[in-house]
Structures are given as C-alpha cells and as structure tokens.
C-alpha cells in the first residue's frame, strides 16, 4: 500500500469515526424518546382509568344506597310499594327499581305488576344471597341497551334490583376516551361482561401499555390503553424538545472525536517525524546487584523531547505507537540510538543492558537480524544485551516466537519478562520460553510493608522465580526498607530512584565512576 493510499484510508476511517460519534446521540435519543413516550402514555392511561373508576364508584355507590333503601319493600304488594318505587324512578342514573319475591321479579317502578323469574336475567349461581353487582347486555324493558344491576337478596329470595342505565357509564367512557386518545372500558372482575367507549372500544388484556384500575368497593375494574395517536403525539413533542440538545451533543461529540483523532493521528505523524529529526534519545537507569551492591547494568529507556513542547510521556507515545503499527519501527530506532551511544561510550562486556521490545516485534523473523546488527555495530565488548519483553500484549503461541527466542538465547542474548504479574504471561509461557529474568513491576514493590494484596502477590512471584530458577529484578525501588526486604528474600537485582534516575549515557558513565556500590 502506497503512502497516498494509507493517507486516504486513514482520512476515510477518521471521517467514519467522527460520523459515528456524531450519530451516537441520535442513536441513543431515539429509543429514549420512544421509552419516555411510552412511560408518559402509560401514566396518562393510568390517570384516565382512575378517573373513570372514581366516577363509576360514585354511580355504583348511589345504586347500592338505593338498593339498601328499597330492600325493606321486598315481599310487599305493589300497591304498598308503588309510591316509593315511583319516587325512586326519578333519581339520576337509574332505569328501574324492581322488587323480588322468592327470586321472581314482580313489581317495577316503571311498569305495572308482572312476573319474571330472576333466572331469566341471571343464572341463580351468579346471584347469591346478599349484595351483588352484574353487567347485563339488556333488560326486559330495554333489551338493546346494556345496564348494571345492583341486587340485594335475603335467604328467602326476597329483595330488590336497582338497574343503572349503561348510557351513563357509556357517556363517562366516551368523555374520557372519545377523543381517540385512549381505548378504555369498564368490566366485571372476571372479564366476561363490561362496557366500552363507543369510538375506540376496550383494550385486550395483556398488552404492554394497558393500565388497570380496580375498584376497592365494587367488583369491577377499568382498563385503559393509550392509543397510537397519543403515543405519536408524545414522540413528536419529546423529539422537538430534545432536538436542540441532541444536535448540540452530536456536534460536540463529533468535534471531540475529530480533535482526538486529529491529535492522535498527528501524534503518529509526529513520532515518524521525530525519528527522522533526531528528537528521540535514550536514557539509562542503573541496575544494582543486591548481593554485593555493585552496578550490574542498566535499562535503556526511550525519551522524546519535542522542540517547543518539551518531554512527551513515554506511556503516551508508546501506547500510540503500539496501536498504530509503530512499535517495531520505534524499537528499531531504539536499537539505532543505543548502538550510537555504545560506540561513543562502551560500558564493558559484563555490563548488562536491557532493551524493551514488544510481542509484535518478537513475532517477526527480523528481530534476530535486528539484534545481530546491533551487536555488530557496537562490537562484542560494548555490553551484554537483555531483551525485555513487555506484558502489554500476549506472546502468541506460534513457532516463530519459539524459534526467535531460541536463536537469540543461543547467541548469548538474555531474555526477560518486563512488569511481570501485570499482563499476559503464564506458567505455560515461562516453562516453554527460555526466560532468564523476571522484572517485578513497581506496583508490587511499592506494596512492601503494607497489607495490600500486591504484597502477597510479590511473595508468590519471588517463590515462583525460585522454583523456576529465574533471576529477579525489582523495579521502582525507592526506599531502604524496600531494598532490604528484597535482598533478604533473595531478589537479585534492583533499580529505582533510591540509586539513580534515568540519565544520558555520558552521565551514566560518570555516575558509574563515582558509584562505590553502597547506599548507607
């Protein structure tokens, strides 16, 4: 792939990521609007059901009161009850008041004496002694209009029926749901009988948005369902109200993503330029042999000093390099700089110099040639190299890795696992790879003298290294307490601010000349 093709592909990818970031608020807002609209619709439907329930409760309470007042007339002749019955007929809501003798209707407030078995209206098993309420599709006098019957019977079958005209309940349902905003209905608790608004009907049970309000006084319930028109209305309102915020958030996220990608990709380009322009240099941090206090070597650490901007944090530019395919070129540049330094200032054949490499580099066959080239540049007496494999990425279990490590080990290059215990190494990896050193991460060293979990892990790492016959180097040693603790437990080497900070190679040479192997 040419440079132009890589550039075009990078621009296309950045544009796609910016568009995705800008679209994220819309993607989140749409289901949110739908969910909130449904919640509001359920709330409204619940309110509508409660309004109907309260009004229906009031109508049934009036029927119940009338039935209680008329119950003493049961069994009397029509002549005795006529005046009272006709007076009751003028009360609101009621179609008729009918007396019952031995479960036979015989006297009504709106007609002359007659006989009609109660069983012709309702099965006997549905009308037990006591008070009960029933939805019926019609009555003998008005067979085409539904009604509600409030019935009171004694054990002998005498009693009274107060018939509530279904028109009143229908008008109530129409007034609440007749605008098309709700499907609403009132029904008996068993769901077999009921009334619905004329325009929209009653909702089927089990629908997700159906709201129910049950009466605590009478055996009926109200079911209400927000119509699709109400849902659509709420969605439009919410969409309009949230639109400015969504647009602003989309613009903000798009800008932030663009800025992030621009800085990240510009950092990638800056790393490439920095290698060409000589902005990188190597600092060396001494490694101390805890057994005799001598300086046994150093770790080569890449540093980047951008003109006009100062030092760039290593964790930042290494992370960018690894995620953008620059880890191997950056390691190659490290080798080049180390070779230049060692030619100018050899450190001695027994001096152990650690060089950080990544798993991506170790997979490539060229790693063997890169190390051989470095050794050829500096000569056999410049230093003894140790390749420190970082744990940020797992070592892939492929033959090329094993082959490379075997060739390097056979050529005299030592191998170490850096920041051991924080990444992807495993016992299987340690058993197969020819590892010479394990470097203990500073996070475990800092836990010395505390009750932190890392303190226990440190003990396990030390024990594991002893069983495997692998030497240990502790990073980040800053106090005498840490040094003494590590030395007492057989840790072989240490590096950290207790001894020295990373420094250019000339400063390292001077430091070594002045260092006498003792930190009192």
């Amino acid at each position: 792939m040419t440079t132009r093709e890589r550039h075009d592909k990078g621009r296309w990818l950045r544009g796609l990521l910016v568009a995705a970031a800008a679209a994220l608020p819309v993607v989140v807002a749409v289901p949110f609007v739908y969910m909130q609209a449904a919640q509001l619709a359920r709330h409204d439907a619940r309110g509508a059901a409660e309004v109907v329930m309260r009004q229906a409760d009031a109508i049934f309470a009036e029927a119940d009161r009338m039935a209680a007042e008329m119950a003493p007339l049961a069994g009397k002749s029509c002549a005795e009850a006529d005046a009272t019955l006709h007076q009751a007929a003028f009360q609101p809501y009621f179609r008729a008041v009918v007396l019952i003798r031995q479960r036979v209707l015989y006297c009504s407030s709106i007609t002359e004496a007659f006989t009609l078995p109660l069983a012709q209206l309702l099965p006997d098993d549905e009308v037990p002694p006591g008070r009960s309420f029933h939805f019926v599709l019609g009555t003998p006098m008005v067979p085409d209009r539904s009604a509600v019957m409030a019935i009171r019977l004694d054990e002998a079958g005498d009693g009274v029926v107060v018939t509530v005209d279904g028109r009143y309940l229908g008008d109530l349902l129409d007034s609440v749901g007749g605008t098309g905003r709700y499907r609403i209905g009132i029904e008996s608790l068993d769901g077999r009988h009921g009334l619905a608004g004329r325009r929209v009907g009653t909702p089927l049970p089990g629908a997700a948005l159906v709201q129910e309000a049950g009466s605590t006084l009478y055996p009926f319930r109200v079911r209400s369902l927000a119509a699709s028109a109400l849902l659509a209305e709420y969605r439009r309102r919410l969409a309009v109200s949230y639109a400015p915020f969504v647009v602003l958030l989309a613009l903000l996220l798009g800008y932030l993503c663009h800025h992030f990608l621009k800085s990240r990709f510009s950092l990638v380009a800056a790393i490439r330029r920095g290698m060409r322009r000589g902005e990188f240099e190597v600092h060396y941090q001494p490694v101390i042999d805890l057994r005799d206090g001598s300086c046994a070597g150093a770790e080569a650490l890449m540093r980047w000093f951008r003109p006009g901007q100062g030092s760039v944090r290593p964790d930042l530019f290494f992370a960018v390099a690894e995620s953008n395919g620059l880890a191997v070129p950056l390691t190659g540049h490290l080798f080049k700089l180390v070779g230049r330094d060692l030619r100018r200032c050899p450190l001695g054949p027994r001096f152990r110099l650690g060089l950080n490499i990544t798993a991506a580099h170790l997979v490539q066959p060229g790693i063997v040639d890169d190390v051989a080239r470095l050794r050829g540049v500096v000569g056999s007496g410049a230093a003894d190299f140790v390749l420190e494999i970082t744990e940020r990425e797992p070592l892939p279990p492929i033959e090329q890795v094993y082959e490379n490590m075997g060739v390097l080990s056979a050529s005299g290059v030592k191998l170490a696992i850096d920041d051991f215990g924080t990444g992807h190494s495993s016992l299987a990896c340690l058993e197969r790879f020819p590892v010479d050193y394990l470097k203990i991460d500073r996070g475990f060293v800092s836990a010395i003298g505390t009750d932190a979990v890392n303190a226990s892990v440190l003990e396990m790492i030390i024990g594991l290294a002893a069983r495997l016959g692998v030497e240990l180097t502790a990073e980040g040693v800053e106090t005498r307490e840490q040094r003494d603790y590590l030395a007492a437990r057989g840790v072989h080497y240490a590096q950290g601010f207790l001894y020295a900070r990373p420094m250019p190679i000339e400063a390292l040479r001077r430091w070594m000349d002045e260092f006498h192997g003792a930190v009192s």
Side-chain angles (χ1 to χ4, degrees):
M1 184 180 293
T2 65
T3 302
R4 176 62 179 268
E5 289 173 336
R6 285 197 299 269
H7 179 69
D8 291 342
K9 183 178 180 181
R11 289 184 60 185
W12 179 85
L13 178 60
R14 290 196 295 273
L16 183 62
L17 291 174
V18 170
L24 182 61
V26 179
V27 173
V28 173
V30 170
F32 177 76
V33 164
Y34 270 69
M35 288 188 294
Q36 191 169 12
Q39 183 178 359
L40 291 172
R42 282 194 295 268
H43 180 269
D44 281 7
R46 175 72 182 181
E50 289 178 349
V51 167
V52 171
M53 183 196 70
R54 286 194 296 269
Q55 294 298 320
D57 263 348
I59 293 174
F60 290 163
E62 192 64 22
D64 196 22
R65 181 192 63 79
M66 180 61 68
E69 288 183 4
M70 297 294 107
L73 300 177
K76 294 183 178 181
S77 66
C78 288
E80 292 177 283
D82 186 63
T84 306
L85 289 178
H86 282 291
Q87 183 179 2
F90 290 101
Q91 299 294 322
Y93 306 125
F94 306 138
R95 182 182 299 175
V97 179
V98 184
L99 299 181
I100 305 173
R101 181 188 295 123
Q102 297 180 355
R103 289 188 173 266
V104 175
L105 284 68
Y106 70 95
C107 192
S108 171
S109 62
I110 60 173
T111 186
E112 298 178 356
F114 68 100
T115 57
L116 178 68
L118 181 59
Q120 290 188 15
L121 296 178
L122 296 165
D124 285 342
D125 58 352
E126 293 185 12
V127 190
R131 57 194 286 266
S132 57
F133 291 81
H134 309 271
F135 286 92
V136 294
L137 296 178
T139 59
M141 298 297 297
V142 190
D144 58 346
R145 199 160 69 201
S146 55
V148 178
M149 291 184 172
I151 302 177
R152 283 187 179 245
L153 284 181
D154 60 17
E155 294 295 337
D158 295 344
V160 64
V161 176
V162 177
T163 304
V164 177
D165 198 324
R167 177 187 61 187
Y168 297 105
L169 293 174
D171 290 344
L172 173 61
L173 295 172
D174 286 342
S175 67
V176 176
T179 59
R181 294 167 64 88
Y182 309 101
R183 296 180 60 189
I184 191 165
I186 181 171
E187 65 182 18
S188 58
L189 290 180
D190 59 15
R192 293 191 299 173
H193 306 288
L195 297 169
R198 287 194 297 271
R199 297 187 186 178
V200 292
T202 183
L204 296 174
L209 298 180
V210 170
Q211 297 297 298
E212 288 191 0
S215 172
T216 59
L217 302 174
Y218 304 103
F220 77 95
R221 63 189 174 199
V222 179
R223 284 212 315 268
S224 178
L225 171 65
S228 57
L230 182 60
L231 276 171
E233 178 184 342
Y234 273 129
R235 289 166 187 163
R236 285 193 298 270
R237 289 182 183 177
L238 291 170
V240 170
S241 63
Y242 290 142
F245 302 101
V246 172
V247 170
L248 288 175
L249 188 58
L251 292 175
L252 178 61
L253 286 180
Y255 169 77
L256 292 176
C257 181
H258 171 73
H259 181 72
F260 171 77
L261 292 174
K262 182 179 178 181
S263 63
R264 190 173 182 85
F265 279 91
S266 64
L267 192 59
V268 172
I271 291 174
R272 291 194 177 100
R273 286 195 303 270
M275 288 190 287
R276 291 195 304 268
R277 297 175 180 176
E279 296 174 4
F280 288 92
E281 60 183 66
V282 181
H283 286 191
Y284 301 84
Q285 185 173 36
V287 175
I288 307 302
D289 191 327
L290 292 177
R291 291 165 290 195
D292 58 13
S294 64
C295 179
E299 180 181 2
L301 301 168
M302 184 82 87
R303 294 293 183 261
W304 184 16
F305 299 94
R306 299 186 67 180
Q309 299 186 35
S311 177
V312 181
R313 292 197 342 253
D315 59 329
L316 175 60
F317 70 79
F318 269 119
V320 172
E322 286 182 343
S323 60
N324 290 276
L326 288 179
V328 174
L330 199 59
T331 304
H333 193 61
L334 170 67
F335 285 8
K336 177 182 175 181
L337 296 177
V338 168
R340 182 193 65 186
D341 288 345
L342 291 181
R343 284 199 310 272
R344 186 172 68 251
C345 187
L347 298 173
R350 299 184 60 186
F351 192 86
R352 190 186 75 182
L353 184 61
L355 303 171
N356 288 292
I357 65 172
T358 64
H361 200 178
L362 196 61
V363 171
Q364 299 185 2
I367 182 65
V368 175
D369 295 333
D370 292 341
V371 175
R373 190 178 303 111
L374 173 61
R375 298 178 76 181
V377 167
V378 302
S380 59
D384 187 14
F385 292 112
V386 179
L387 297 184
E388 300 183 2
I389 306 163
T390 61
E391 280 205 285
R392 286 187 293 268
E393 297 178 0
L395 285 172
I398 59 177
E399 290 303 320
Q400 186 65 59
V401 173
Y402 302 131
E403 181 180 340
N404 288 343
M405 296 186 78
V407 172
L408 291 169
S409 181
S411 68
V413 175
K414 303 296 183 181
L415 298 172
I417 300 295
D418 196 13
D419 300 328
F420 183 75
T422 63
H424 299 276
S425 59
S426 65
L427 288 177
C429 169
L430 294 176
E431 289 174 355
R432 184 165 183 182
F433 290 160
V435 175
D436 300 288
Y437 304 99
L438 296 180
K439 299 197 71 175
I440 303 171
D441 183 73
R442 65 181 65 250
F444 299 115
V445 174
S446 64
I448 292 174
T450 71
D451 294 329
V453 175
N454 281 352
S456 301
V457 177
L458 175 60
E459 294 285 349
M460 290 189 287
I461 292 174
I462 294 172
L464 174 63
R467 288 194 296 272
L468 295 175
V470 177
E471 293 189 312
L472 287 169
T473 300
E475 298 180 296
V477 178
E478 298 183 356
T479 67
R480 293 183 178 87
E481 178 189 6
Q482 293 170 351
R483 178 199 63 187
D484 296 342
Y485 179 94
L486 295 167
R489 283 158 179 78
V491 176
H492 309 91
Y493 304 99
Q495 66 184 89
F497 293 168
L498 176 64
Y499 303 102
R501 293 177 179 272
M503 63 192 82
I505 194 163
E506 293 85 357
L508 175 65
R509 183 74 268 176
R510 291 192 299 271
W511 181 90
M512 290 173 60
D513 292 340
E514 298 172 359
F515 183 71
H516 301 294
V519 179
S520 57

